[in-house]
């Protein structure tokens, strides 16, 4: 396992800490967790179980418009939320922030829907790749510029089920 970056134990410990922090910060409120499919699914299900508060969940899915619009970061919502955000304490849950373009676009879309508050929890951050600054409230791990798979993260839709996070360096 020379490609191991973050073991399942390291992930579980950190996700537990993040849940505790969120629980403290949202005491007396009811966070509305919005997960970005599909990558954030594994993280969201673990994180939510580390938060001992009444909470709700919803999901959306995005796909980028393709290489030509990559720099604009424009993304298409391929699945929208089931519920509105008006007056909710919205916590967006994402797997990884790389250039930041996807999250930046998404946050603008969601902010326009009138949540009472908006915070962001991500498992991984690759700050060296950032093209646009996005404000993130909870970060699991800051990592180097390496392509990673596992714990929800894919390469060509595969490897999402790996329990650890590994560096992918080809088949
Ligand atoms: P961004 O718009 O460049 O921040 O891209 C974010 C999206 O790219 C994430 O939600 C992931 O789906 C994907 N992504 C970025 N880096 C990785 C990686 O190392 N492994 C798997 N997916 C990644
Ligand atoms: Mg993603």
């Amino acid at each position: 396992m020379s490609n191991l970056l973050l073991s399942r134990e390291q992930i579980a410990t950190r996700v537990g800490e993040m849940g505790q922090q969120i629980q403290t910060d949202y005491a007396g409120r009811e966070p509305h967790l919005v997960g970005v499919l599909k990558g954030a699914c594994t993280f969201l299900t673990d994180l939510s179980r580390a938060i001992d508060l009444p909470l709700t969940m919803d999901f959306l899915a995005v796909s980028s418009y393709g290489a030509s619009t990559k720099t604009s970061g424009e993304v298409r919502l391929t699945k929208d939320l089931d519920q509105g955000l008006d007056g909710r304490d919205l916590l967006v849950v994402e797997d990884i922030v790389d250039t930041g373009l996807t999250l930046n676009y998404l946050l603008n879309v969601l902010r326009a829907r009138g949540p009472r508050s908006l915070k962001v929890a991500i498992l991984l951050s690759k700050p060296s790749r950032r093209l646009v600054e996005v404000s993130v409230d909870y970060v699991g791990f800051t990592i180097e510029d390496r392509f990673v798979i596992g714990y929800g993260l894919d390469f060509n839709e595969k490897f999402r089920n790996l329990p650890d996070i590994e560096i992918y360096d080809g088949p």
Side-chain angles (χ1 to χ4, degrees):
M1 290 293 285
S2 56
N3 285 335
L4 182 69
L5 181 68
L6 297 163
S7 70
R8 64 200 77 181
E9 292 84 7
Q10 283 175 289
I11 298 167
T13 299
R14 185 69 191 116
V15 172
E17 291 170 355
M18 294 175 81
Q20 277 295 317
Q21 186 63 55
I22 290 165
Q23 185 177 314
T24 302
D25 294 350
Y26 284 84
R29 290 187 291 159
E30 197 173 302
H32 185 58
L33 274 55
V34 162
V36 185
L37 296 172
K38 300 183 269 272
C41 244
T42 312
F43 176 42
L44 186 142
T45 54
D46 283 347
L47 182 67
S48 67
R49 285 177 291 176
I51 304 169
D52 186 17
L53 286 176
L55 59 77
T56 49
M57 296 177 196
D58 205 347
F59 296 91
L60 52 76
V62 295
S63 80
S64 73
Y65 272 113
S68 60
T69 56
K70 192 72 182 157
T71 45
S72 75
E74 201 176 342
V75 295
R76 191 164 50 96
L77 284 186
T78 56
K79 181 211 176 298
D80 205 340
L81 298 171
D82 292 334
Q83 299 162 320
L85 298 175
D86 197 28
R88 290 184 192 260
D89 289 312
L90 172 60
L91 180 62
V92 175
V93 180
E94 175 62 311
D95 51 4
I96 185 166
V97 178
D98 189 26
T99 63
L101 292 171
T102 306
L103 189 58
N104 184 55
Y105 181 85
L106 207 51
L107 292 179
N108 288 333
V109 170
L110 298 177
R111 201 175 282 116
R113 297 185 185 183
R116 178 166 61 186
S117 66
L118 199 178
K119 284 191 175 191
V120 179
I122 63 171
L123 182 65
L124 302 174
S125 176
K126 286 190 209 173
S128 64
R129 294 259 307 164
R130 210 72 92 240
L131 292 176
V132 58
E133 224 28 74
V134 276
S135 142
V136 173
D137 303 277
Y138 307 97
V139 181
F141 302 92
T142 298
I143 64 169
E144 306 281 298
D145 180 17
R146 307 297 295 274
F147 196 85
V148 291
I149 53 170
Y151 196 73
L153 291 148
D154 73 306
F155 174 74
N156 281 351
E157 296 297 330
K158 290 184 191 157
F159 311 112
R160 295 191 195 275
N161 58 323
L162 297 180
D164 308 301
I165 293 176
E166 300 176 24
I167 294 165
Y168 185 70
D169 41 27

